Amino acid sequence: MSTQMPFEGLLLGAALTVVGLIVSWVVWRRRGASAGLRAVAWSLLPLAFGLIGLMELLASLVGQLVRFFVGLVLDPLAWAGVAVAGLAAVLWTTGRLLRRRGSGASGAAAEQKAAPGRPDAPAVGGAPSRKPQAPAGADDDFAEIEALLRKRGIT
């Protein structure tokens, strides 16, 4: 690490502090001492960064971010990466929505775990089931299904 003080960062920090102090004065006049003092505090940060030596780091970071986003706009391979990341986000969100609704494998597994010895026991997250009133001709159609449900202890 160099022992020389980087004057470019210090000059940039000082210039930004002067601009910030001018804005702070305007804020003090319009909004009062409380807002003005907070603005002065924010205005002193660039000078502190310049004195510490962080201004070069921040300038480098900003330059790298600008190059990254310019490269992102112009690179089709980068757009493919953005599309894949978007697809991953959509799939993750869809999975969360399905989980909330109780559908999917976890919902079916929860229904199968209902206590077979207790016919009135609700499935996980469900209410005790009541037998719905079926139309007169529907008894024959549902007899097989009711037998299967009784066998599993669901009704």
Side-chain angles (χ1 to χ4, degrees):
M1 185 171 195
S2 168
T3 58
Q4 284 184 336
M5 185 172 218
F7 289 106
E8 296 86 20
L10 181 60
L11 289 175
L12 179 60
L16 289 174
T17 296
V18 168
V19 171
L21 289 174
I22 292 170
V23 171
S24 298
W25 179 76
V26 172
V27 168
W28 191 308
R29 301 273 295 169
R30 290 188 181 174
R31 296 189 184 170
S34 174
L37 286 174
R38 285 180 296 181
V40 168
W42 280 104
S43 299
L44 292 175
L45 287 179
L47 180 61
F49 289 165
L51 290 170
I52 293 171
L54 288 176
M55 195 56 72
E56 289 85 14
L57 180 65
L58 291 174
S60 173
L61 177 67
V62 169
Q64 291 289 332
L65 286 173
V66 167
R67 279 189 288 265
F68 170 76
F69 284 113
V70 167
L72 181 70
V73 168
L74 301 176
D75 187 12
L77 193 59
W79 280 107
V82 169
V84 169
L87 176 64
V90 167
L91 291 175
W92 185 80
T93 304
T94 304
R96 295 277 295 175
L97 290 174
L98 288 175
R99 183 177 177 196
R100 244 184 237 156
R101 289 185 181 170
S103 62
S106 64
E111 288 178 13
Q112 288 179 357
K113 289 182 181 179
R118 296 175 40 206
D120 291 342
V124 176
S129 62
R130 287 186 277 170
K131 292 187 179 182
Q133 298 294 330
D139 289 338
D140 296 333
D141 296 335
F142 292 112
E144 199 173 308
I145 296 172
E146 285 180 355
L148 183 65
L149 290 175
R150 265 190 238 110
K151 180 180 174 184
R152 294 200 180 249
I154 296 176
T155 60

